[in-house]
Amino acid sequence: MNKLAQPVVTLDGPAGSGKSTTAKEVARRLGFRHLDSGALYRALTLALLEEGTPPAQWVDLTDEDMDGLPIRVSSREADFVIEVAGRVVQAELRSPSVTEHVALLASLPAARRCLLYLQQVAGEKGGLVADGRDMGSVVFPEADVKVYLVADLHERARRRLEESGISPSNVDVERESKVIAERDRQDSERELSPLREPSNAHRIDTTSLNFNEQVEEVVALVEALYVD
Ligand code: DC
């Protein structure tokens, strides 16, 4: 284990692989905080949309522009609270317009630099389960436990739809699979910090695992740190 009294655990993987829900529950069971890095990309997107900056101009924004956006991340006991323009945001981060524009934002070097700093500050003290696309590869390359979650495309689509309260038909699953495959493509082909499996990550295929099983697999990897 590194010199931190409390470990850093990273969970990366493609859209719909169950990273965020798994990370949140792993953090709860271990008494760590959960950092949902996708939510930070969404918060920056929301801030820009609210400011009225047209998405076509986002590519021209400088580091100063990004750093000047009114987002704040503060550490609470179990997780982090994200504020945009002084108000706590949660459901808004999942709105269709944020979801539509977040991949563009995530492809911008200035946005990634701005969030890299915020995320590393959040992880400074350890005791953290961070999920995203580049947690183990770029943001916390020295993490104590790195996990890469994968699952079959159709299974990921089915889970996504069920999470939003739908009992999906085969046609729904087929349609959602196309949307997820396109997001996977954008995340993997992005020039900066593309979605990559860290070389020293534990790969867990969750296709045939239930939620409790996948949480337990990750918790067991962390608990193994404490055994000589
Ligand atoms: O996990 P999510 O759907 O909330 O992620 C939102 C977007 O942010 C998605 O396009 C991928 C991107 N993202 C990223 O590029 N790097 C991360 N560490 C987390 C999310």
Side-chain angles (χ1 to χ4, degrees), residues 35-36 39-47 50 66-76 79-90 93 114-115 117-119 121-122:
L35 180 69
D36 172 358
L40 298 178
Y41 284 89
R42 289 171 179 273
L44 219 49
T45 305
L46 179 63
E50 284 187 352
M66 291 291 179
D67 291 343
L69 286 169
I71 82 161
R72 219 180 122 210
V73 182
S74 33
S75 175
R76 293 277 162 92
D79 52 14
F80 295 86
V81 173
I82 305 177
E83 288 169 67
V84 172
R87 61 180 208 288
V88 175
V89 286
Q90 224 168 5
L93 300 179
C114 165
L115 292 183
Y117 174 75
L118 276 181
Q119 293 167 111
V121 168

Side-chain angles (χ1 to χ4, degrees), residues 18-146:
K19 301 177 300 288
S20 274
T21 44
T22 305
K24 191 179 170 80
E25 178 60 12
V26 168
R28 195 190 65 75
R29 290 197 195 175
L30 294 168
F32 291 1
R33 292 163 304 154
H34 170 221
L35 180 69
D36 172 358
S37 64
L40 298 178
Y41 284 89
R42 289 171 179 273
L44 219 49
T45 305
L46 179 63
L48 281 169
L49 290 172
E50 284 187 352
E51 268 200 357
T53 313
Q57 292 174 16
W58 291 5
V59 66
D60 299 322
L61 296 172
T62 64
D63 286 2
E64 290 70 33
D65 294 329
M66 291 291 179
D67 291 343
L69 286 169
I71 82 161
R72 219 180 122 210
V73 182
S74 33
S75 175
R76 293 277 162 92
E77 242 165 55
D79 52 14
F80 295 86
V81 173
I82 305 177
E83 288 169 67
V84 172
R87 61 180 208 288
V88 175
V89 286
Q90 224 168 5
E92 282 170 86
L93 300 179
R94 313 246 142 228
S95 75
S97 73
V98 169
T99 300
E100 184 189 336
H101 293 101
V102 66
L104 165 65
L105 185 282
S107 72
L108 303 175
R112 299 204 78 89
R113 276 194 293 272
C114 165
L115 292 183
L116 177 64
Y117 174 75
L118 276 181
Q119 293 167 111
Q120 289 179 334
V121 168
E124 241 166 24
K125 297 196 181 93
L128 185 83
V129 183
D131 77 87
R133 307 294 192 287
D134 62 345
M135 295 296 98
S137 53
V138 175
V139 180
F140 300 113
E142 307 293 329
D144 302 273
V145 174
K146 297 182 187 180

Side-chain angles (χ1 to χ4, degrees), residues 9 18 34 39 61 64 69 84 124 127 159 180 186 197 205-206 221 226 228:
V9 180
H34 170 221
L61 296 172
E64 290 70 33
L69 286 169
V84 172
E124 241 166 24
R159 289 179 192 168
I180 293 185
Q186 288 178 348
E197 179 168 357
D205 185 337
T206 68
L221 290 170
Y226 298 95
D228 328 299

